[in-house]
Amino acid sequence: MTTTPAHSSSVFFRGAGLLLHPTSLPGRFGIGDLGEAAHRFVDWLADAGMTAWQILPLNPPGPGASPYSTASSLSGSPWLIDPEGLLDEGLVDVADLEVGPTSPDRVDFAQVAAFKRPLVRKATRRLATDPKHPLRGELERFRADEPWVEDAALFAALKDAHDGAPWWRWDPPLRDRKPDALAKATDRLREEVDHQIAVQLLFERQWHALKLHAARRGVRIVGDLPIYVDRDSADVWSDREQFRLDYQGQPLGVAGVPPDYFSETGQLWGNPLYDWPLMGRQQHRWWVQRLRRILRQVDVVRIDHFRAFADYWEVPPGAKDARPGKWVQGPGRGVFDDLRQALGDLPIIAEDLGNIDQRVHDLRDAVAVPGMKVLHFAFGEDASNPFLPHNHVENCVVYPGTHDNDTTVGWWQRLPEPTRDHVRRYLGTDGHDVAWDLLRASWASVGHTAIAQLQDVLRLDSGARMNTPGAADGNWAWRVRAEAFNDEVGGALRELNTLYGRLPA
């Protein structure tokens, strides 16, 4: 049967952007945040002719400080809250900002948490005890407009009350969300629940001020949505029926990917799998809520591991790695039809990398969303490699490499000589400035959007790598110094945008 393609999103046009998570921004508190440095970065992007800023998930990070692992996929990270913004709101004092982490090059997440946790709690306590504070009315509106936040806050409070134990080890009435148990817990933990909700308001205010500034400068925010959520999360606890779990909350299968470019044993993620038939009968309401939430935060969203909508890798519970898994047919186009019915136009980028087959391509094309072309995967084979620029299509987003790749300089240093030779011959270069050689090839592509890691713009080596898939530690910590955002680099980027027709209209 011939599938009629959906209409492509009108948000895409020929343009370019940079990939940089806010944690990597400069700043005085040991981690990038949503304050002045973020606003200045947006200005620098706009002056360079950029129309996109791609970020990683904004959620509270999970184990290993990964933004792709979180206790609440709808919440914002308190570690991104700008302390100086709290000072401006009258919620903390100048003395509170005089000590804190100061590392300019790497984030020490433990130090950041030790500094920001009491600071943010002081801010929410002051808000709670001042009935005349200007934010009190906004806090009540936020609670009414974002119904998910009550469950997320109660989950966080209960986790703390249970010394971090996962929800499936709580007493059965709380584990199973019996109404009387929830009401009693909410009453008993009211102060902590209110604190958690206020944290989300503070994050939301600062994030939307930054997003509004970006919109005024013509810079779209490209967000990132992991396809799966953590088992030990408010998302699963508050809506268990959406997942393939038994009556005690134990998974019937877990997520991962088979062996691929990144790992010989595959990647065992361990996330619970969705009950897709039930979701379909409910018109995918869970996904509608999730997409609605993130599209209030960003202009475009990259869906990580898009291929699982076509087929997903199911690993038996208890497996030591991902190799014993099997492919299972996914939900297909029905998810996106329901999302469009509920939300309208879908400004989505499909992360279609890894172990990809024709079913994934067919689904991506049927729902008319752009895929990704990564030049690090283009070389070392023949001219039919789909990642080579001459094989690109207009409806795609082109990257030299992504946050899961090494930097381009690091990649080049580890390439075998035959592949290096292919790069040199294809690009007509000697490879002495390979990071910018790949930038030029990306910008010259017919693909409507070109995005590069800031690390590649700055020609940095593997020491600046953001993430190594499969490695539990040492990721997500890289930071840039403020002097990197200078007129020379910005001017060179603007020249690229001018040469290749990527300046804003």
Side-chain angles (χ1 to χ4, degrees):
M1 183 176 74
T2 301
T3 302
T4 303
H7 293 295
S8 180
S9 174
S10 59
V11 75
F12 296 109
F13 51 84
R14 189 162 179 83
L18 294 185
L19 168 57
L20 182 74
H21 197 46
T23 57
S24 295
L25 286 163
R28 56 179 282 217
F29 301 108
I31 189 171
D33 58 40
L34 307 181
E36 183 181 358
H39 287 253
R40 288 201 305 265
F41 176 62
V42 166
D43 290 334
W44 184 79
L45 283 174
D47 292 344
M50 296 295 187
T51 53
W53 173 15
Q54 183 171 334
I55 60 174
L56 306 182
L58 294 168
N59 316 128
S66 171
Y68 292 88
S69 176
T70 183
S72 174
S73 73
L74 303 182
S75 298
S77 172
W79 315 143
L80 289 175
I81 293 174
D82 169 31
E84 291 177 332
L86 300 181
L87 180 65
D88 293 341
E89 299 278 13
L91 296 173
V92 297
D93 302 314
V94 172
D96 297 320
L97 310 188
E98 292 177 353
V99 295
T102 57
S103 170
D105 300 313
R106 303 283 295 179
V107 179
D108 184 322
F109 287 95
Q111 286 187 6
V112 168
F115 167 66
K116 284 201 172 180
R117 186 176 286 112
L119 183 77
V120 173
R121 188 169 291 276
K122 179 174 182 175
T124 64
R125 187 177 296 119
R126 185 168 290 183
L127 178 58
T129 56
D130 182 0
K132 295 183 179 180
H133 196 283
L135 294 187
R136 286 294 291 270
E138 190 169 341
L139 177 59
E140 294 312 310
R141 289 192 297 273
F142 177 69
R143 297 178 84 137
D145 293 343
E146 303 289 348
W148 59 268
V149 78
E150 298 284 349
D151 270 331
L154 179 57
F155 179 82
L158 284 167
K159 282 280 289 183
D160 185 60
H162 286 86
D163 296 322
W167 62 262
W168 54 89
R169 293 181 185 160
W170 301 349
D171 290 341
L174 283 174
R175 180 195 69 190
D176 299 335
R177 294 179 54 85
K178 300 300 183 183
D180 286 350
L182 293 182
K184 290 177 181 177
T186 301
D187 185 59
R188 183 176 74 254
L189 302 171
R190 173 50 62 193
E191 182 177 345
E192 182 64 19
V193 170
D194 289 347
H195 161 70
Q196 294 291 342
I197 293 173
V199 169
Q200 290 308 305
L201 172 69
L202 297 176
F203 170 87
E204 201 79 359
R205 282 177 55 80
Q206 292 191 1
W207 174 255
H208 280 284
L210 178 59
K211 183 175 182 290
L212 179 61
H213 180 65
R216 287 170 174 164
R217 294 305 314 266
V219 176
R220 297 167 297 158
I221 306 293
V222 180
D224 201 322
L225 186 75
I227 190 169
Y228 294 118
V229 294
D230 282 29
R231 179 183 170 204
D232 190 19
S233 68
D235 308 277
V236 178
W237 174 70
S238 65
D239 212 344
R240 228 164 88 185
E241 69 171 2
Q242 305 291 329
F243 303 88
R244 295 188 58 236
L245 304 171
D246 68 16
Y247 73 98
Q248 292 182 321
Q250 301 302 310
L252 302 177
V254 297
V257 290
D260 62 7
Y261 173 89
F262 293 114
S263 173
E264 293 181 356
T265 59
Q267 296 178 48
L268 181 59
W269 297 334
N271 309 78
L273 298 169
Y274 297 113
D275 187 337
W276 285 116
L278 179 140
M279 285 184 159
R281 292 192 296 272
Q282 296 179 349
Q283 289 76 52
H284 298 97
R285 64 163 178 84
W286 188 91
W287 277 95
V288 169
Q289 173 182 263
R290 197 174 181 210
L291 260 291
R292 179 180 285 122
R293 167 66 178 155
I294 195 169
L295 288 175
R296 289 177 182 171
Q297 294 182 315
V298 302
D299 302 292
V300 179
V301 59
R302 186 193 86 127
I303 297 185
D304 192 46
H305 199 56
F306 176 86
R307 73 108 55 241
F309 289 107
D311 300 285
Y312 57 90
W313 191 250
E314 178 175 332
V315 183
K320 294 182 178 180
D321 59 47
R323 287 177 292 183
K326 63 180 181 180
W327 289 113
V328 178
Q329 185 171 328
R333 178 175 169 171
V335 182
F336 300 94
D337 289 342
D338 284 341
L339 288 170
R340 278 195 171 95
Q341 180 68 29
L343 304 175
D345 199 16
L346 295 180
I348 285 172
I349 297 168
E351 188 272 297
D352 54 350
L353 308 174
N355 196 326
I356 301 300
D357 58 20
Q358 190 59 43
R359 281 177 49 80
V360 183
H361 295 313
D362 290 344
L363 176 60
R364 180 201 61 210
D365 294 344
V367 299
V369 298
M372 294 171 57
K373 302 296 184 185
V374 177
L375 298 195
H376 285 194
F377 302 149
F379 301 99
E381 300 175 7
D382 61 27
S384 67
N385 186 313
F387 293 104
L388 285 167
H390 69 265
N391 291 322
H392 293 179
V393 296
E394 183 178 357
N395 195 28
C396 74
V397 183
V398 186
Y399 300 79
T402 76
H403 65 278
D404 282 333
N405 296 103
D406 202 346
T407 67
T408 293
V409 170
W411 166 80
W412 176 255
Q413 290 171 344
R414 289 169 173 75
L415 278 185
E417 181 52 35
T419 308
R420 284 194 188 193
D421 179 63
H422 186 198
V423 174
R424 287 190 291 258
R425 289 186 294 112
Y426 187 91
L427 298 178
T429 178
D430 62 7
H432 81 279
D433 191 14
V434 70
W436 272 68
D437 290 336
L438 262 63
L439 250 73
R440 288 180 176 276
S442 301
W443 261 241
S445 167
V446 70
H448 55 55
T449 307
I451 294 178
Q453 294 189 89
L454 179 64
Q455 293 94 317
D456 288 344
V457 173
L458 301 179
R459 302 174 171 91
L460 300 179
D461 64 16
S462 298
R465 183 169 184 166
M466 192 62 169
N467 180 48
T468 302
D473 301 306
N475 296 319
W476 318 112
W478 178 76
R479 297 186 71 198
V480 63
R481 297 200 178 203
E483 51 264 33
F485 305 129
N486 57 58
D487 292 342
E488 180 181 357
V489 177
L493 287 170
R494 189 171 185 89
E495 173 69 2
L496 274 191
N497 288 324
T498 301
L499 283 172
Y500 296 115
R502 295 189 181 276
L503 285 175

